[in-house]
Amino acid sequence: MKFYICREKAEPKPFKIAIIGAGPAGLTAAGYLACKGYDVHVYEKMPEGGGMVAFAIPEARIPIRSVREGVKDLGRLGVHFHFRTKVVYDSPRELGDEWAEHFVSLERLLGEFDALLIATGAWKPRKLRTAGVELPGVYDALTLLHHIKMARIGYYSWERIPDLKGRHIVIIGAGYTAVDVAIEARLLGAEKVTMAYRRSLEHSYAETEIRKLIGGGLEFIEYASPVRILGEGKVQGVEFARTKIVEGSVVTTDERFILDADVVAYAIGQLPTNPIREVVCANEKILKEAGIFFAGDVVAPRNIGTAMREGKARAKEIEEWLLSKAPRKVFPVPVTTRLMSSVTNGKC
C-alpha cells in the first residue's frame, strides 16, 4: 500500500514537523513532507503504523503486509517513527492505549517543532444508549473488529475473541464498519448475519458493499431502530421499533418486532480522539497562528482515499505556511497559552 510516491527527494529544509497519528492521513502527509525535504517525526501509540487500516479493517480487505510495506517505504524516505508513544495533554483513555509505553506532552511538541499535524483518527466508539447494552455478547463494532484484527496479525490470542461459529449475529448500523463486522462474522463461521438500519439501504454510503453481502446471504432490515436488548445473563435478542423518514429525519413509530440474537454488534459511529479534548472548536485563527493543522477522521469520518487526499492537502498547507511565515519559533508562549486557556476554560 503506497501512502506517498516520491519521485525525487528535495534538499533538506530547516524545519521540523511533528505528526500525531500514523493512519492514512498522517502517513500520506508524512510522505509528502519528507519528500519535500522536511524533517518529519510521526508519533503513534500503536506498535506499528497504519491506524485503522492496520488494526481494524479486516485482513481479507487490506492485508497487513501491504500496510507494513507502505510504512517501510516512508522510513526509507526519511520519516522518523516513534511507535508505542502517545501524545498527551488532556486526552481521555481510548482504544489502543494499552500499547503505549512512552508518553510525550503536547506542550513539548509545541516547543520543539515548527508545525504540528494532528491526525489521531476516531478511536472512541459511539455508545449505544439503550437498555441491555451491558449484557454479555453485546459489542461495539470497532472494538470487536480491533480485537479480531489483532488476533489475525498475531498481537492477541484467539481466546480473547468471541466464538461466532454457528451463531446468529445482529449488526446495528449500515456503514463501512458494519460491513466489516459482517465480513468477519462470515469468516469466523457465523450461521446467520442480520444487519438492521434505521433508514433505507439507499441512504447508506456503503450501499454497494452491502448489496454484495446480501447476494452472499446477509439479511438486511430497513427502517428499524433498537429499543432494547433482551436477555437474562447474556444477550438473546433485540427489540426494534419501526421507523419512518419525515422531512429527512428518522421518526420512531409504535410498531415493534424482535430479532433473536446470540451476538449483537452496534456500529453507530466513532468519535474523534484528539490529544487536546474539544480543541476542534477552538478559534481557527489561533490554531493557524500556532501552526496546528488537522487531517482525517479526527475532523470528521473519512474513507481511506479521502483521508489520504486530505493528508496530502494539509501537508501542502503546512509547507505553504512554513515557507511564507519562515518562523524561527512558530509557537510563542502567548499563542500557546491562549490556545490552551480557551480549551481549559471551556470557551469552546
Side-chain angles (χ1 to χ4, degrees), residues 94-206:
E94 59 208 27
L95 194 62
D97 277 3
E98 67 270 21
W99 295 99
E101 296 177 348
H102 312 284
F103 297 87
V104 178
S105 71
L106 183 68
E107 293 93 332
R108 173 182 153 187
L109 297 188
L110 291 172
E112 290 184 3
F113 289 87
D114 299 305
L116 187 120
L117 176 66
I118 295 177
T120 44
W123 283 76
K124 183 179 180 181
R126 193 180 295 277
K127 185 76 170 177
L128 179 65
R129 303 195 180 281
T130 188
V133 73
E134 303 300 334
L135 280 170
V138 180
Y139 304 90
D140 75 78
L142 179 60
T143 300
L144 180 61
L145 287 170
H146 175 63
H147 286 182
I148 293 171
K149 184 63 176 285
M150 295 298 273
R152 289 200 184 281
I153 62 179
Y155 283 107
Y156 284 174
S157 164
W158 280 101
E159 294 177 354
R160 297 185 60 169
I161 312 305
D163 182 9
L164 302 183
K165 190 172 183 179
R167 306 294 182 88
H168 179 200
I169 179 169
V170 172
I171 303 168
I172 298 168
Y176 289 115
T177 302
V179 166
D180 286 344
V181 172
I183 291 171
E184 289 287 24
R186 282 299 191 195
L187 291 173
L188 292 174
E191 180 180 345
K192 184 179 180 181
V193 181
T194 302
M195 188 180 294
Y197 185 41
R198 60 198 182 106
R199 295 177 179 269
S200 70
L201 176 56
E202 287 72 22
H203 282 97
S204 169
Y205 50 80

Side-chain angles (χ1 to χ4, degrees), residues 311-333:
K312 183 178 179 180
R314 293 296 86 74
K316 288 182 176 180
E317 285 185 18
I318 290 171
E319 181 180 37
E320 181 182 351
W321 182 81
L322 286 171
L323 295 179
S324 62
K325 296 255 181 174
R328 292 187 178 278
K329 195 65 175 176
V330 176
F331 302 103
V333 173

Side-chain angles (χ1 to χ4, degrees), residues 192-233:
K192 184 179 180 181
V193 181
T194 302
M195 188 180 294
Y197 185 41
R198 60 198 182 106
R199 295 177 179 269
S200 70
L201 176 56
E202 287 72 22
H203 282 97
S204 169
Y205 50 80
E207 178 185 357
T208 301
E209 289 79 3
I210 292 172
R211 289 195 182 280
K212 291 178 183 177
L213 291 172
I214 292 172
L218 171 77
E219 180 183 8
F220 188 84
I221 299 176
E222 299 177 311
Y223 300 111
S225 180
V227 175
R228 59 179 174 143
I229 298 174
L230 309 172
E232 294 184 9

Side-chain angles (χ1 to χ4, degrees), residues 264-283:
V264 173
Y266 57 90
I268 57 174
Q270 287 90 242
L271 300 172
T273 44
N274 199 304
I276 312 177
R277 184 164 41 91
E278 312 286 2
V279 76
V280 288
C281 65
N283 184 282

